[in-house]
Amino acid sequence: QVQFVESGGGLVQAGESLKLSCSASGKISSNSAMGWFRQAPGQTRAFVAGINDSGNIDYIDSAKGRFTISRDIAKNTLYLQMNDLKPEDTAVYYCNVPQYGSWSWVRHVWGQGTQVTVSS
């Protein structure tokens, strides 16, 4: 089993920044593909940004130029630096490992997530 603990969320004003962290523990390879997902109120959880096992990075269009995903392999920790935050970024943010090589499915049980709230 793999467990994820997300942290770093908070309440910020539009234009400000936050850095999220995701600590992974359990049976997970240090270079496993990992990604960030978010669930806004009333919406389904969706992919935001990810690093595959080759180190290639992918972002949703609205995150490009504002969000940066990175990882510390030694610490088995995934990060998401979020700049120029917008109210539409308000959501609970989660991390997980993709299933079947696609960001549409995940392999493990979700963690508790970290709440990001952006006021206008």
Side-chain angles (χ1 to χ4, degrees), residues 48-63:
V48 176
I51 301 177
N52 70 13
D53 53 4
S54 299
N56 298 313
I57 290 175
D58 196 13
Y59 298 98
I60 57 172
D61 286 346
S62 63

Side-chain angles (χ1 to χ4, degrees), residues 15 18 22-23 32 49 61 73 78 80 82 84 89 108 114 116 119:
L18 283 173
C22 165
S23 177
S32 173
D61 286 346
I73 291 177
L78 185 72
L80 186 67
M82 305 187 296
D84 189 23
D89 296 317
H108 303 294
T114 186
V116 172
S119 63

Side-chain angles (χ1 to χ4, degrees), residues 1 3 16 21-22 50 62 72 84 86 97 109:
Q1 280 290 357
Q3 295 80 37
E16 295 185 340
S21 299
C22 165
S62 63
D72 185 329
D84 189 23
K86 304 177 185 301
V97 174
V109 174

